[in-house]
């Protein structure tokens, strides 16, 4: 599992699947790492090279001084693609990864075949809320957010029936660098694509969780209405729909990408 050296530090990635297959990039949510996509591998690696990476400030990638921006995180993806000599890819991002996906769709359309945006929005939350979260993490650390975060990420039913999976994801959250987390909070806070999503030309598939308190079905509907070639699929899930509704999520991805 290699580390790509860049001018601003290492980017951790893993590439799984047939060497001649199309490449599908997965971009993680705020406070997780590349392993949040484990439930997608069995369904997709027969047909795709699955490229997972840790967003800057997360997992084993570089933790550089913040604040970060959507542009910085998007350019990290372009640097990774360039290093791996990948001209065009499918891209799937969730939450923060969906912000990165929107930036790529707007500013680097020539690098995308198809775009998947899950549990994200043209603008997530407001500056007041993000600034309060940043301040809390700086003063109290990430443990202070753990209970509320799990409540946003998974429905009570999933927490009760899949405690091992919930614990696995919680542990990845607890391993996240507070510095990297706060820097990425700033990137989400400052990202505002209300107008620019109209410029996304890649065919786009949007997932929204019907129980998601962070990025709602209404947020997904806005993206579907304003991205020219987009389709929305609501899933019964909270914020991490790729985990909570993995079978439906995987089946829809395969349909969208024609496998």
């Amino acid at each position: 599992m290699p580390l790509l050296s860049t001018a601003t530090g290492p980017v951790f990635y893993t590439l799984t699947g047939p060497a001649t297959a199309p490449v599908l990039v997965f971009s993680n949510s705020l406070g997780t790492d590349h392993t949040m996509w484990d439930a997608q591998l069995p369904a997709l690696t027969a047909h795709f090279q699955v490229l997972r990476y840790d967003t800057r400030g997360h997992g084993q990638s570089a933790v550089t001084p913040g604040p970060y921006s959507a542009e910085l995180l998007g350019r990290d993806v372009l640097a990774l693609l360039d290093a791996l000599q990948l001209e065009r890819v499918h891209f799937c991002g969730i939450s923060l990864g969906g912000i990165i996906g929107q930036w790529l769709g707007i500013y680097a359309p020539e690098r995308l075949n198809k775009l998947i945006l899950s549990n994200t929005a043209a603008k997530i939350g407001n500056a007041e809320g993000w600034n309060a979260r940043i301040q809390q993490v700086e003063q109290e650390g990430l443990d202070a957010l753990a209970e509320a975060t799990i409540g946003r990420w998974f429905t009570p039913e999933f927490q009760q029936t899949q405690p091992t999976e919930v614990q696995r994801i919680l542990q990845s959250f607890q391993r996240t660098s507070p510095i990297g987390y706060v820097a990425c909070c700033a990137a989400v806070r400052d990202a505002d694509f209300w107008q620019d999503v109209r410029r996304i030309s890649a065919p786009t598939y949007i997932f929204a969780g019907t129980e998601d308190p962070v990025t709602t079905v209404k947020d997904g509907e806005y993206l579907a209405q304003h991205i020219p070639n987009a389709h929305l699929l609501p899933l019964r899930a909270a914020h991490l729909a790729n985990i909570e509704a993995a079978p439906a999520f995987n089946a829809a991805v395969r349909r969208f990408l024609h496998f």
Side-chain angles (χ1 to χ4, degrees), residues 243-259:
I243 298 173
E244 186 161 359
F249 183 98
N250 295 341
V253 168
R254 290 180 61 173
R255 287 195 303 271
F256 179 57
L257 300 180
H258 303 305
F259 283 99

Side-chain angles (χ1 to χ4, degrees), residues 106-231:
I106 295 163
Y107 294 103
E110 71 282 358
R111 306 305 294 270
L112 299 183
N113 290 317
K114 292 186 177 182
L115 176 62
I116 302 168
L117 304 174
S118 183
N119 301 82
T120 194
K123 182 168 181 60
I124 302 177
N126 57 54
E128 182 180 8
W130 285 111
N131 289 337
R133 188 185 301 192
I134 289 169
Q135 184 177 28
Q136 184 177 12
V137 173
E138 289 176 338
Q139 294 176 350
E140 304 175 34
L142 282 177
D143 285 344
L145 300 184
E147 183 176 350
T149 296
I150 290 300
R152 290 191 294 267
W153 283 356
F154 301 113
T155 63
E157 179 184 1
F158 190 82
Q159 293 179 54
Q160 293 168 7
T161 59
Q162 301 292 333
T164 301
E165 183 67 356
V166 171
Q167 185 62 26
R168 182 180 76 86
I169 299 301
L170 176 60
Q171 288 172 350
S172 72
F173 174 76
Q174 293 170 324
R175 290 193 300 266
T176 302
S177 161
I179 295 172
Y181 183 90
V182 163
C184 281
C185 283
V188 180
R189 177 195 65 198
D190 297 339
D192 185 346
F193 299 133
W194 280 110
Q195 300 301 320
D196 290 337
V197 291
R198 294 173 171 83
R199 295 164 50 192
I200 295 175
S201 58
T204 302
Y205 204 91
I206 300 156
F207 293 103
T210 59
E211 315 304 312
D212 187 348
V214 182
T215 53
T216 65
V217 172
K218 185 176 180 180
D219 290 318
E221 289 172 345
Y222 182 90
L223 292 173
Q225 290 164 4
H226 292 85
I227 295 173
N229 185 9
H231 177 79

Side-chain angles (χ1 to χ4, degrees), residues 20 53 61 67 74 101-102 129 144 172 232 239:
T20 58
Y53 75 101
S61 289
Q102 290 174 72
S172 72
L232 170 68
H239 194 52

